[in-house]
Amino acid sequence: MQSNALVLTVAERLDDRGDIMQLTLRGAGDLPAFTAGAHIDLLVETAEGPVWRQYSLAGDPSDRSAYRLGILRDPASRGGSVALHDTLKTGASVHVEGPRNHFPLAEASFSVLFGGGIGITPMLAMAWELSAKGADFILHYATRSQDRTAFLDQIKSFPFAEKIVLHHDDGAGAGPVDLARDLPEAAVGTHIYVCGPQGFMEWVIKGAEAAGYAPANIHREYFSADVDVTGDSFEVECAASGITVTVGPEDTIVKALARGGIKIEVKCEEGICGTCVTDVIAGEIDHRDQFLTEEEREEGDQICACCSRACGKRIVLDI
């Protein structure tokens, strides 16, 4: 799906449970179509300047009248969510690019969706799309407690409400997610989708792998990632431009190239959005991202330049 630059209006803001702000964004007419799992890039004005942040679309993909988002106020983040919570009001204009989809639904006989906290947002769009197709699925929504469960009021009225299982750490609902109970037996046509806090995601993914699920049947999307971008120095040769730069121990490829006059577009800076993916001609890659699949990593011809590094002393990029 090609990127689109849009200026949209905040038609509605709802401060929901769990420090999650629901936004409804509208334009002058129908918005670009999207499929479940897609996100938009939203330009956020922070004290340090404008930054791009990615937010999953939570609404019904068949409804092109609006984009619906859920944004967690996270004081531990790099400031984007806090700035939005503090400054964004109904009627405000926002700059948006997208939608783009790196987390699409696969053809499956049964889809099992796990949404932890704010990770519920792409799962809701998936539930809408699966329901419209008459597909077989279940959605497990995990939160700390009912009073921290965003979208709860809407969920009760969704046409697929009976397919949503609420899990609360305090024992309410179905209680905490229990993979021995909630993860179906591995089957060729069963696909697992997970989004939420990194620890929750890794727990579900490891549980699915241990249960015998093939890597191709386990789908994930990270909202943020703890990534270590440091390491030994190495050189980056740009084959097309003829420029070679050195990436220092505390440096990144993107920053080193920028000093050399070559700009690679970045947005998340955590290796989760794929904006900075660059073709690699030669050199072994030390992948630090959460974006590329294992198959793509094994091919060794792409790198997330915002965080990944070279394993050796030199890497050659096709730029």
Side-chain angles (χ1 to χ4, degrees), residues 127-247:
W128 277 109
E129 190 166 303
L130 290 165
S131 179
K133 293 179 178 178
D136 194 10
F137 74 96
I138 189 167
L139 167 53
H140 296 280
Y141 180 15
T143 64
R144 296 177 189 172
S145 61
Q146 182 169 299
D147 61 9
R148 300 285 296 174
T149 304
F151 297 97
L152 184 60
D153 297 332
Q154 294 100 314
I155 282 172
K156 295 174 182 177
S157 64
F158 287 163
F160 46 84
E162 76 282 355
K163 293 183 178 290
I164 301 177
V165 181
L166 297 175
H167 298 271
H168 305 306
D169 291 345
D170 63 5
V177 172
D178 179 351
L179 294 181
R181 174 194 65 192
D182 301 322
L183 193 65
E185 185 176 342
V188 172
T190 301
H191 284 248
I192 306 298
Y193 300 82
V194 59
C195 187
Q198 189 167 351
F200 173 79
M201 292 182 61
E202 291 175 353
W203 174 65
V204 172
I205 291 166
K206 289 178 181 177
E209 291 172 342
Y213 280 86
N217 288 42
I218 305 172
H219 311 270
R220 70 210 72 184
E221 181 172 64
Y222 289 87
F223 281 156
S224 63
D226 295 326
V227 57
D228 178 10
V229 301
T230 63
D232 294 336
S233 296
F234 61 96
E235 288 189 340
V236 174
E237 177 186 341
C238 303
S241 58
I243 292 175
T244 298
V245 299
T246 299
V247 181

Side-chain angles (χ1 to χ4, degrees), residues 1-74:
M1 187 176 297
Q2 291 186 348
S3 176
N4 298 282
L6 303 168
V7 179
L8 303 182
T9 300
V10 179
E12 182 181 6
R13 168 179 172 159
L14 171 64
D15 292 308
D16 204 349
R17 301 171 179 87
D19 293 324
I20 291 175
M21 171 178 65
Q22 289 191 43
L23 293 181
T24 300
L25 307 180
R26 298 187 188 274
D30 282 351
L31 298 176
F34 72 95
T35 52
H39 70 270
I40 57 173
D41 301 321
L42 198 155
L43 187 62
V44 186
E45 297 293 341
T46 71
E48 289 73 35
V51 295
W52 288 98
R53 294 292 179 261
Q54 294 72 43
Y55 297 103
S56 292
L57 295 167
D60 180 356
S62 70
D63 178 10
R64 296 180 58 186
S65 68
Y67 290 155
R68 292 176 170 83
L69 311 175
I71 300 175
L72 171 68
R73 182 187 180 94
D74 184 3

Side-chain angles (χ1 to χ4, degrees), residues 238 241 243-245 254-264 319:
C238 303
S241 58
I243 292 175
T244 298
V245 299
V254 166
K255 292 178 180 178
L257 288 176
R259 291 195 301 270
I262 297 178
K263 182 178 180 181
I264 294 179
I319 54 176

Side-chain angles (χ1 to χ4, degrees), residues 108-132:
S109 57
F110 187 43
S111 299
V112 186
L113 317 178
F114 288 95
I118 190 58
I120 189 60
T121 50
M123 300 303 167
L124 291 177
M126 288 183 173
W128 277 109
E129 190 166 303
L130 290 165
S131 179

